[in-house]
Amino acid sequence: MDTDFKKPLAETWKSFNPSSLERGPTDLNHEERHRDFMRQALELARLGVGLAAPNPYVGALVVDPNGKILGSGFHTYERIKHAKVIALEQAQGKGASLKEATLYLNLEPCCHQGRTGPCTEAITASGVKRVVTAMRDPKPQA
């Protein structure tokens, strides 16, 4: 994925291909696998630079037990669905069962009603087996 920040964002977005993120780390141990997918979530979050303000940059991946990426998303504009919801809807749109899936996020999901609904409700409703986050939300009530 091209993350050259000197390039206009429109060019970066046009060249973005979620399947390019799919690395299929089946030979990696559990911890390395988490790190690899978290790195990819962070790469997605960087795509929101300059677009997500005043919200934080968030990237999300839905991954099946075999390491296949079922959905991906990043937060772009205020009042638009959050990265987690975009990734979950993408995975569900493919007809994928999320019962054994893992959701990777670089930021803890919001649990309050703001301009959008709480992401925690969408995550719970999706039925994903586990959620892996890089950090707690520094402004949980924001």
Side-chain angles (χ1 to χ4, degrees):
M1 175 173 49
D2 188 355
T3 55
D4 179 0
F5 291 108
K6 293 177 184 160
K7 210 179 194 190
L9 186 62
E11 285 180 41
T12 301
W13 176 244
K14 284 179 192 171
S15 67
F16 175 66
N17 177 1
S19 64
S20 69
L21 294 173
E22 194 169 319
R23 293 185 178 100
T26 54
D27 58 336
L28 301 177
N29 72 33
H30 197 62
E31 188 175 322
E32 289 172 326
R33 186 176 178 153
H34 284 316
R35 269 193 235 131
D36 186 61
F37 286 125
M38 189 57 68
R39 240 184 254 102
Q40 293 177 65
L42 288 165
E43 288 174 14
L44 283 165
R46 287 176 57 160
L47 292 174
V49 170
L51 298 174
N55 295 314
Y57 309 129
V58 180
L61 287 175
V62 179
V63 181
D64 77 7
N66 297 318
K68 181 178 181 191
I69 296 174
L70 303 172
S72 62
F74 65 96
H75 187 66
T76 54
Y77 301 102
E78 187 176 358
R79 300 181 195 267
I80 302 291
K81 295 175 186 172
H82 290 179
K84 291 118 350 230
V85 174
I86 293 168
L88 290 167
E89 286 180 352
Q90 190 179 96
Q92 291 166 330
K94 294 177 180 175
S97 170
L98 305 184
K99 288 191 287 186
E100 296 297 318
T102 300
L103 176 62
Y104 290 90
L105 309 166
N106 63 302
L107 180 66
E108 175 183 36
C110 62
C111 60
H112 62 279
Q113 177 69 43
R115 292 182 185 102
T116 62
C119 290
T120 51
E121 288 181 10
I123 293 168
T124 302
S126 76
V128 293
K129 185 173 185 173
R130 78 186 54 79
V131 177
V132 178
T133 63
M135 65 178 282
R136 294 180 73 80
D137 189 347
K139 296 181 178 182
Q141 298 304 318

